[in-house]
Amino acid sequence: VAEAEKYATDLGFEIKTATITNTNEVQQAAESLNVDAYLIPTDNAVVSAAESVIQVAEDKGTPVFASDESTMERGAAAGLSVNYTQQGRDAAKILVKMLGGTKASEIPVETQKEFDLFVNEAGATAQGFTLPESIVSRATKLEFEKRALPIRALGQRQRRIDRRDCRQLQQRLNACLRTGHRGGRIGH
């Protein structure tokens, strides 16, 4: 929140917060805020009760933005989310370095620099506004099961990774390890 407040000040925004101690307090906290937009960060308590914030926002005609894809699926209008596929690729590069003999302590810590833009036009409509085409046209994903409108999808669709995918990944990594990366096994 402190970092967001710094950037908000630079952009001429004010961030208002409400403190909660559990998910039962999320709706009341959202109702207590007189804001132009809501942001649901990746806070477990708030994300668990995202529908409460979204309902309050719809009642007030206020947009909801989020920091994870699952909250967009539940009705937030738009947001930026970590690209878990890219995060996996980045982790695999680090694994290859370690398998090549580089000590973990010698590998610099990195954070993801690119994020996926998700939009939920139906969620925006329910909150009383329309997302600009300049945003919609750049979206990674447009369609969501809940509140979905018949809209076009741009680019490849994101998909969930299930247990079968994990087993296939483990098999592929094990095959790579057997064929030249000093042996070893990957578990789950």
Side-chain angles (χ1 to χ4, degrees), residues 9-180:
T9 302
D10 293 346
L11 296 170
F13 292 99
E14 176 187 2
I15 293 190
K16 295 182 179 181
T17 61
T19 302
I20 61 163
T21 58
N22 61 57
T23 58
N24 296 327
E25 298 172 351
V26 171
Q27 183 172 352
Q28 183 177 358
E31 289 170 342
S32 74
L33 294 170
N34 182 21
V35 294
D36 297 319
Y38 290 96
L39 171 64
I40 299 177
T42 54
D43 175 279
N44 287 338
V46 180
V47 170
S48 295
E51 288 84 359
S52 297
V53 176
I54 291 164
Q55 184 60 57
V56 168
E58 288 176 0
D59 292 345
K60 291 182 173 186
T62 305
V64 177
F65 302 100
S67 301
D68 69 294
E69 180 181 0
S70 70
T71 305
M72 261 75 74
E73 290 173 348
R74 292 157 59 199
L80 293 174
S81 179
V82 169
N83 180 317
Y84 292 105
T85 302
Q86 185 59 48
Q87 199 170 60
R89 287 183 188 123
D90 294 344
K93 288 177 186 175
I94 292 171
L95 176 63
V96 168
K97 287 179 184 178
M98 291 172 65
L99 292 172
T102 304
K103 293 180 182 178
S105 61
E106 296 171 358
I107 299 172
V109 174
E110 295 181 22
T111 58
Q112 193 165 338
K113 294 168 184 58
E114 294 181 28
F115 299 90
D116 286 336
L117 171 62
F118 293 103
V119 299
N120 181 341
E121 290 181 301
T125 299
Q127 293 156 26
F129 76 104
T130 302
L131 291 161
E133 181 59 31
S134 61
I135 299 294
V136 174
S137 66
R138 294 183 3 233
T140 303
K141 182 173 178 179
L142 293 166
E143 295 181 41
F144 292 95
E145 291 176 21
K146 185 174 182 184
R147 302 178 192 269
L149 290 175
I151 52 179
R152 69 194 185 330
L154 299 175
Q156 283 190 312
R157 300 240 173 123
Q158 297 285 330
R159 68 182 182 95
R160 299 260 179 232
I161 294 176
D162 62 22
R163 223 175 199 354
R164 183 174 36 102
D165 295 319
C166 291
R167 281 192 298 275
Q168 289 174 350
L169 177 60
Q170 181 183 7
Q171 289 168 354
R172 287 181 184 156
L173 286 171
N174 285 334
C176 289
L177 293 171
R178 281 192 303 273
T179 59

